[in-house]
Amino acid sequence: MPYDFVPLPERAPLRWPNGARLALMITFNLEHWDLVKETDLPYYAGGPPALPDPLPGRVADFHNYSWREYGQRVGIWRMMRVMDEAGVPAGCTMNAKTGLERPAIIDAALKRGWELIAHNYEQGDLLTNYDSDPEAERALIRETLRVFEQVTGRKARGWLSSSLRGTQQTPEILAAEGLLFFCDYMNDDQPYLIRTAAGPIVSTPYSVEINDFTLFHRRGMTTSQVLESLTEQFDQLYAEGAESGRLMNVGLHPHVSGHPYRIRALREFVEHAKAHDGVWWATREEIAEWYLEHHAEHIAPAGSAPPPA
């Protein structure tokens, strides 16, 4: 792998701005699914379906399509209202086709000044489809980045692959395109440096443990149980952050967390986090820039040379 293995106890302390203990990222995934594909293979939409019986890609699956579209029509606006009322930001991953097909959602995030993160072209077209064709993967990434800039008015600084399914060449392709951070790897509670032939890129880990798909759908938790899981994660990381800074990502999908009977988990978790001093409501861009400027060497083995800048 293109990064060092350094056990947590062997690292120098990580210090966040203003002595914060925990960098907290609440991530809304703004995703788009085509209704049909030009294939007879079972349709893959990048997450658990509401109705599990798969249909061929050429056959319109209105049950699952309209369930997911609920998040775009209703759920995201309920989630945005929670964040507005709390006065704290979310970060948003964005399929390129969300910007093209559902621009009102992207405009709402931009109006709030929220971070947007490139998240593939379409949710079901995984980068792993191009594992043996790096140039096709590069072309898909470039087209995604082109649309991202067209829709948002700025270049993307980071990337999350659909379903976190990248290839071995994905970090290098992203670094060569000038991106600052990469979210696919889920192996840490701190950022770290990924080295590629095109230069370094910062890992700002996402999470499928603290993720509404996992908690609500894969594990069948109730709203109260999900809230308890979020607060347990927060409290433990906050305590550990007194010695060395931690980061926490909460991955949410509007068609999952945006339902009326689930929104309490987000609202009460945000209230819980706001009640603590020393929480940095950070963007991934801010985390990656801070890390490169202040701590790019903190995860290197003792006595080794610092990584290239």
Side-chain angles (χ1 to χ4, degrees):
M1 297 299 290
Y3 51 78
D4 294 325
F5 173 77
V6 184
L8 186 63
E10 297 181 13
R11 305 176 194 174
L14 177 61
R15 303 302 180 201
W16 292 132
N18 302 314
R21 293 185 179 196
L22 181 63
L24 179 60
M25 303 164 290
I26 296 181
T27 305
F28 295 167
N29 294 292
L30 308 181
E31 296 165 342
H32 181 88
W33 302 266
D34 291 336
L35 178 60
V36 294
K37 295 282 192 179
E38 294 182 2
T39 176
D40 288 321
L41 295 173
Y43 185 89
Y44 175 78
L51 189 66
D53 303 312
L55 293 175
R58 295 181 187 275
V59 178
D61 186 348
F62 287 106
H63 181 105
N64 283 308
Y65 180 84
S66 60
W67 170 63
R68 296 182 181 104
E69 195 180 31
Y70 178 90
Q72 300 170 349
R73 296 169 65 93
V74 180
I76 185 60
W77 311 106
R78 184 173 287 123
M79 295 165 70
M80 285 182 169
R81 182 171 182 174
V82 167
M83 305 305 282
D84 290 346
E85 291 175 348
V88 294
C92 300
T93 67
M94 178 193 119
N95 291 155
K97 290 197 78 171
T98 308
L100 296 174
E101 302 289 341
R102 302 289 188 267
I105 303 172
I106 306 306
D107 290 345
L110 290 170
K111 180 180 178 180
R112 289 165 169 79
W114 289 359
E115 181 176 47
L116 287 162
I117 301 154
H119 187 38
N120 271 36
Y121 193 82
E122 188 267 348
Q123 186 62 13
D125 190 10
L126 304 183
L127 292 185
T128 46
N129 294 337
Y130 309 93
D131 184 67
S132 60
D133 190 348
E135 289 310 309
E137 179 183 356
R138 189 185 310 275
L140 181 64
I141 288 173
R142 283 179 172 170
E143 180 61 9
T144 300
L145 297 178
R146 185 194 68 79
V147 172
F148 183 99
E149 184 174 5
Q150 169 190 321
V151 169
T152 68
R154 64 169 297 186
K155 291 183 180 296
R157 301 303 310 280
W159 181 276
L160 176 72
S161 301
S162 295
S163 291
L164 287 74
R165 293 290 178 86
T167 70
Q168 289 184 304
Q169 60 261 11
T170 302
E172 182 175 330
I173 293 172
L174 298 174
E177 294 299 319
L179 271 66
L180 174 67
F181 62 88
F182 180 56
C183 309
D184 284 12
Y185 302 158
M186 299 175 290
N187 52 3
D188 221 300
D189 292 326
Q190 295 180 329
Y192 60 87
L193 207 66
I194 301 169
R195 297 179 179 86
T196 81
I201 190 168
V202 179
S203 174
T204 55
Y206 189 73
S207 173
V208 293
E209 284 287 330
I210 302 302
N211 184 290
D212 56 3
F213 263 152
T214 298
L215 299 176
F216 280 121
H217 279 275
R218 295 189 176 103
R219 295 181 181 164
M221 290 184 174
T222 66
T223 300
S224 294
Q225 289 171 328
V226 170
L227 174 61
E228 182 180 3
S229 296
L230 298 180
T231 55
E232 287 276 3
Q233 181 88 350
F234 176 93
D235 290 348
Q236 181 62 35
L237 290 171
Y238 185 84
E240 294 174 0
E243 296 181 356
S244 182
R246 299 291 195 267
L247 57 76
M248 177 179 175
N249 177 77
V250 182
L252 303 176
H253 300 78
H255 61 294
V256 178
S257 288
H259 286 273
Y261 73 105
R262 289 176 173 160
I263 197 66
R264 179 172 61 87
L266 173 60
R267 183 178 62 250
E268 294 189 10
F269 172 72
V270 169
E271 292 171 355
H272 179 80
K274 280 190 65 181
H276 291 72
D277 295 327
V279 175
W280 183 22
W281 296 82
T283 67
R284 283 180 166 81
E285 183 174 348
E286 290 170 336
I287 289 169
E289 288 181 339
W290 177 269
Y291 182 77
L292 284 175
E293 182 176 354
H294 298 278
H295 286 290
E297 78 286 351
H298 102 284
I299 203 167
S304 67

